[in-house]
Amino acid sequence: MMKFADRILTVIITATVTSMVWIVAGGSLIENASSDSQLEKTSPAKAAPSPSPDPGPSDPASSEQAGLETPISDQARNAAALNTRVARAPAEGSTSGLLIPVLNVKPSDLSDTFTDSRGGGTRLHEAIDIMAPRGTSVVAAAPGTIERLFRSDAGGNTIYVRSSDGETIHYYAHMDEYAEGLREGQRVRRGQRLGTVGSSGNASPEAPHLHFAILQTTPDAEWWEPANAINPYPILSQR
């Protein structure tokens, strides 16, 4: 009986000692390994770690995922604001008191010529032609300041009157003559006489008329700079 117990005890001790030897040897091997080949065998994760993300500056999505602000160039940072002004009809208040700028012409006498072609189809008219006998008085459609008295090949004797807020110019063209004493910089009242209907410029002598346009602009724009044309017909025909 004692021999059997001694044999069992010997087996247990032997197995325990053997396990301890392997554990110590394996740990020492991993701890002391330094070469790339040895790392590949004992610690493959250390030998070939996963690549860390490196988002480029031109990849906004990657920057957002990494919690980084998308880089902004100095040129973009210092750029002026975009011009967001869009074409729009004048406010109702600014046109409610607009006069038909030719004396004794009724709303029913008007025709919508805003979209008629001119220059052999190269451009739109973008104004209204108010037909009247030569010499008929032209009056200010609204109050404002005479910004320019100008003689052009196309418009003949013309007048540019800017509104008090600076955002609208009323343009009168093909006039036969200016009213006596009229000058640039002069303030005019609604209904004030500006001159007479004619056919100066490229208008037909057989069809004297006033070419009248409403131009949407900005207070800092010059009188000659391009502006957005508003159709005068719907406004004047409802007077």
Side-chain angles (χ1 to χ4, degrees):
M1 189 70 179
M2 289 296 293
K3 290 183 178 179
F4 179 75
D6 290 342
R7 187 174 298 176
I8 293 298
L9 183 59
T10 301
V11 171
I12 292 173
I13 292 173
T14 302
T16 301
V17 172
T18 302
S19 298
M20 291 178 63
V21 170
W22 279 109
I23 291 172
V24 172
S28 298
L29 179 62
I30 293 175
E31 184 178 354
N32 296 327
S34 59
S35 66
D36 293 341
S37 60
Q38 189 64 30
L39 279 172
E40 292 177 359
K41 294 177 182 179
T42 58
S43 299
K46 292 183 180 179
S50 299
S52 58
D54 184 23
S58 60
D59 187 357
S62 299
S63 297
E64 290 175 3
Q65 292 174 357
L68 302 175
E69 180 184 358
T70 302
I72 302 175
S73 67
D74 290 339
Q75 181 180 4
R77 204 180 294 275
N78 298 325
L82 292 175
N83 181 5
T84 58
R85 181 179 178 86
V86 296
R88 54 173 172 77
E92 183 177 352
S94 67
T95 60
S96 58
L98 207 64
L99 283 179
I100 295 176
V102 177
L103 207 62
N104 298 326
V105 172
K106 303 185 296 294
S108 58
D109 296 330
L110 301 174
S111 298
D112 189 356
T113 59
F114 188 78
T115 58
D116 288 0
S117 63
R118 293 291 188 271
T122 59
R123 57 183 173 84
L124 294 178
H125 188 216
E126 295 189 327
I128 186 173
D129 284 342
I130 303 175
M131 313 305 293
R134 186 184 308 276
T136 304
S137 290
V138 173
V139 297
T145 301
I146 297 177
E147 187 147 327
R148 187 73 172 177
L149 301 176
F150 186 69
R151 170 80 186 186
S152 72
D153 291 340
N157 295 323
T158 69
I159 304 176
Y160 294 77
V161 179
R162 189 184 290 265
S163 62
S164 57
D165 62 7
E167 295 193 350
T168 304
I169 289 179
H170 293 141
Y171 172 66
Y172 308 78
H174 301 316
M175 296 176 63
D176 190 49
E177 61 181 14
Y178 298 126
E180 186 177 355
L182 208 65
R183 66 186 186 279
E184 294 178 1
Q186 177 182 349
R187 292 187 60 82
V188 295
R189 65 185 182 277
R190 177 177 176 268
Q192 181 173 335
R193 187 172 182 272
L194 301 179
T196 58
V197 171
S199 55
S200 58
N202 61 8
S204 170
E206 290 76 27
H209 65 276
L210 176 71
H211 173 103
F212 178 69
I214 302 174
L215 306 175
Q216 178 195 21
T217 185
T218 57
D220 58 343
E222 298 291 344
W223 62 273
W224 46 265
E225 291 183 313
N228 178 52
I230 305 298
N231 190 351
Y233 178 77
I235 300 169
L236 297 178
S237 63
Q238 295 176 11
R239 297 282 78 88

